[in-house]
Amino acid sequence: MLELQNVSFEVEGENKKKEILRNINLTVDHTKFIAVTGPNGGGKSTLAKLIVGIEKPTMGKILFDGVDITQMSITERARAGISFAFQQPVRFKGVTVKDLIMLAAGKENKLTIAGACEYLSEVGLCARDYINREVDTSLSGGELKRIEIATVMARASKLSVFDEPEAGIDLWSFNNLIDVFERLYQEQKRSIMIISHQERILNIADEIVVIANGTIQAIGKKDEILPELLSGTSSCRYYQKREV
């Protein structure tokens, strides 16, 4: 279980400190699918970076399975069971898809090449065509997204965090990603957190968190929050519906 207790984050501005997040209290139970949405600049991606350890909170605590991970590095959090998929996946010249997936799985899992190929098939890629390709500029945005999700599946983390996985991909790839997320959640029975504006992603989540102006504006079950988001009423007035 992930717990954020009174978490705040600020950065140095030109003349004074700028507050990005303020007093965030959030609990993500095991085997939950959480979607985090809200306007651009509201603090969504910063929240993801705080959870995975790219940034450290200015105030407050972050607990994972009861352990204080507030000052842990991104590597330490990965070992504890937290994975992160970037909005723009990283390219690695000289590293093959096979190397990346097997590295994600870890030596202790002893993943075979056949196993790596299965993960590629799960995300809709022909293993024969991709397993030995380099993770470089020859891959499209949609291909990179799916390969990154394959590495997350291989990692089998307790909590997987995705930052706007729909960014920069075509409609066909996006439709396939929806199916992948549903399978990832249903088959692995682990927690997923996705930062997204997309209604179709929000619609497959268990709970929705709305962040704007650095604070949580609304939080609750999908059936409670999504109608307000789409109508622009109540505390969800900051939401803007977007389509791919």
Side-chain angles (χ1 to χ4, degrees):
M1 182 171 67
L2 176 74
E3 296 178 79
L4 278 71
Q5 301 178 350
N6 298 314
V7 168
S8 296
F9 179 73
E10 57 186 25
V11 296
E12 293 290 342
E14 292 185 3
N15 300 314
K16 62 179 182 179
K17 292 183 178 180
K18 180 180 179 182
E19 194 171 52
I20 307 299
L21 290 173
R22 181 173 67 257
N23 296 331
I24 299 295
N25 288 283
L26 178 65
T27 298
V28 179
D29 294 326
H30 287 308
T31 67
K32 277 291 180 68
F33 190 145
I34 306 294
V36 180
T37 193
N40 291 333
K44 304 184 303 299
S45 291
T46 299
L47 175 67
K49 291 175 181 177
L50 289 172
I51 290 172
V52 302
I54 295 174
E55 300 284 2
K56 301 294 192 301
T58 307
M59 295 180 61
K61 287 184 177 183
I62 301 177
L63 305 179
F64 191 61
D65 287 343
V67 176
D68 188 342
I69 64 169
T70 310
Q71 299 304 319
M72 282 188 182
S73 67
I74 187 171
T75 301
E76 291 171 321
R77 296 189 199 198
R79 289 172 180 158
I82 301 176
S83 294
F84 182 54
F86 291 88
Q87 185 177 137
Q88 298 296 331
V90 180
R91 298 175 189 268
F92 301 93
K93 185 176 177 59
V95 177
T96 67
V97 172
K98 176 188 68 178
D99 295 335
L100 196 62
I101 294 176
M102 297 185 80
L103 180 64
K107 293 181 180 179
E108 64 278 6
N109 291 324
K110 298 180 180 180
L111 182 67
T112 63
I113 294 178
C117 289
E118 287 182 13
Y119 285 120
L120 286 175
S121 298
E122 279 288 315
V123 297
L125 295 176
C126 177
R128 180 182 58 199
D129 295 337
Y130 287 90
I131 194 69
N132 291 313
R133 285 185 65 176
E134 289 190 8
V135 188
D136 57 16
T137 55
S138 68
L139 295 169
S140 70
E143 289 170 328
L144 272 176
K145 292 279 188 181
R146 281 186 272 175
I147 289 168
E148 186 174 44
I149 292 172
T151 65
V152 171
M153 294 174 72
R155 184 71 185 172
S157 299
K158 296 177 183 178
L159 170 65
S160 299
V161 182
F162 299 85
D163 188 7
E164 297 196 26
E166 70 273 13
I169 65 171
D170 56 77
L171 179 60
W172 187 88
S173 296
F174 175 71
N175 289 335
N176 278 274
L177 282 182
I178 296 293
D179 293 336
V180 170
F181 286 133
E182 288 186 303
R183 289 200 305 273
L184 177 62
Y185 178 54
Q186 293 169 1
E187 293 173 8
Q188 294 200 354
K189 300 298 181 184
R190 298 171 187 270
S191 296
I192 295 177
M193 175 181 286
I194 299 184
I195 313 297
S196 180
H197 294 288
Q198 296 300 327
E199 180 184 345
R200 287 190 60 193
I201 289 180
L202 302 183
N203 200 47
I204 61 175
D206 294 321
E207 296 181 0
I208 296 175
V209 178
V210 183
I211 293 183
N213 300 323
T215 63
I216 293 179
Q217 302 289 328
I219 183 171
K221 294 185 181 301
K222 171 189 64 181
D223 294 340
E224 300 169 351
I225 301 297
L226 191 54
E228 292 190 11
L229 288 176
L230 300 180
S231 66
T233 60
S234 187
S235 58
C236 301
R237 62 188 180 279
Y238 300 97
Y239 179 74
Q240 296 179 346
K241 182 178 178 180
R242 302 188 178 192
E243 296 290 348
V244 168

